[in-house]
Amino acid sequence: MDFVQLVIGILLYFVLFFSIAFILNMLLRSTWFMAAVYPVIIFLIVDDFTMGKYFTEPSWAFPKVLGMITELKLFDILILTGGFAGTIAAGIVIRMLRKSGYQMF
């Protein structure tokens, strides 16, 4: 993977998860909701099987997906970390807006 693709990927994941987290935090009035849900989203991004396997065969699904996460390349980890940074930034922005007096946030 090229360095330019890495930077663009990190930026895209940051903006994508910032916007999703901002909207969810605004609607649910829960500042850190998306940051808590982000590991579940990572499981769904990394795995290659249906979500039903987590409920029907959890003893097979969870070790399999954890093994897949440990096999991620550095570029993938950096891009996913950019998404997590977006969720944290959205929580900070929401908290600052609420502290500044914006009641809808």
Side-chain angles (χ1 to χ4, degrees), residues 89-100:
I92 292 170
V93 168
I94 287 284
R95 179 169 273 181
M96 288 173 42
L97 287 172
R98 285 184 184 140
K99 194 177 273 190
S100 297

Side-chain angles (χ1 to χ4, degrees), residues 13 39-49 54 64-72 76-77 80:
Y13 264 65
V40 175
I41 294 171
I42 294 300
F43 280 8
L44 297 175
I45 290 173
V46 172
D47 70 3
D48 60 351
F49 45 87
Y54 290 108
K64 176 106 168 131
V65 77
L66 290 174
M68 291 176 163
I69 288 174
T70 58
E71 294 173 1
L72 287 175
D76 297 328
I77 293 170
L80 293 174

Side-chain angles (χ1 to χ4, degrees), residues 6 12 27 29 47 51 58-59 61 65 72 83 92-94 104-105:
L6 175 67
L12 286 175
L27 293 175
R29 300 190 57 87
D47 70 3
M51 193 170 78
S59 61
V65 77
L72 287 175
I92 292 170
V93 168
I94 287 284
M104 65 181 284
F105 297 110

